[in-house]
Amino acid sequence: MTNKLFTLAGATAALAAVTVLGCSAATASAKPVSAKPTTVPATAPITAAHLTAYATDDGPTEQVILTGAVGDYGQAVSVNPDGSVDPEHNSQLELRLQHGTFRLDIAAIDKAFVAAMAHRFPSDPATCSGSVAVTEHVPVVAGSGTGSYRGASGGFTLTITLDEVDKPTAGRPCDGSAAFLSQTIVSTGPGELRF
């Protein structure tokens, strides 16, 4: 109670000092501004978000950055619904960011990517290399948000692009089944998120 009285007394003294320093009586007698903070409704869209994730191997972990209305970065890890690591990348992608986490449902984009690889890779058998890209809507997994992303919903329209050079095998054609010499996988796209 003492702190509140001290703060009120300090505010009154500050107002009196401003009035003495040249503010008009009309300004001093104006209605006080509400002390209530302005809040954005939980359903307000954040449309300027953009996600980029990248890896140089086919492991379960990528580097990720979100820009625009959500400025954050960290790791993206392929996980199963129970949180265990998913080396097959066919369930969820957990974004482990500096200010919290949330998951994306990547099952549909993974299925499209696997189908594209089966039909279009390698795109240049002579050099045993190729590029494949697919685009899908990737929704936020309901209830997966923590920290600043608690209650997250919405999703991204992501394009996954793979560029890869495979090891040529003597005596057999390059068919995409050989070990890769170098690979880059980039997922990128705009999103509309709500918190």
Side-chain angles (χ1 to χ4, degrees), residues 124-159:
D124 192 335
T127 62
C128 213
S129 66
S131 183
V132 173
V134 297
T135 301
E136 293 282 335
H137 178 71
V138 177
V140 172
V141 175
S144 66
T146 67
S148 294
Y149 309 113
R150 189 173 309 279
S153 64
F156 291 88
T157 300
L158 293 182
T159 299

Side-chain angles (χ1 to χ4, degrees), residues 49-136:
H50 191 273
L51 180 147
T52 300
Y54 63 93
T56 56
D57 61 33
D58 198 24
T61 304
E62 304 171 79
Q63 297 302 309
V64 66
I65 185 167
L66 281 96
T67 59
V70 178
D72 210 345
Y73 62 95
Q75 285 194 322
V77 181
S78 295
V79 296
N80 294 304
D82 66 2
S84 61
V85 173
D86 173 23
E88 300 300 317
H89 316 289
N90 60 12
S91 186
Q92 298 177 357
L93 188 67
E94 184 171 76
L95 305 181
R96 298 177 181 173
L97 306 169
Q98 298 299 303
H99 302 291
T101 65
F102 64 95
R103 294 184 186 182
L104 300 174
D105 182 344
I106 59 170
I109 198 167
D110 176 72
K111 186 175 181 178
F113 185 75
V114 169
M117 285 291 292
H119 293 99
R120 298 194 303 253
F121 190 87
S123 52
D124 192 335
T127 62
C128 213
S129 66
S131 183
V132 173
V134 297
T135 301
E136 293 282 335

Side-chain angles (χ1 to χ4, degrees), residues 117-118 121-122 125 128 166-167 169 172-178:
M117 285 291 292
F121 190 87
C128 213
D166 287 353
K167 182 176 182 179
T169 305
R172 35 181 280 217
C174 184
D175 61 4
S177 62

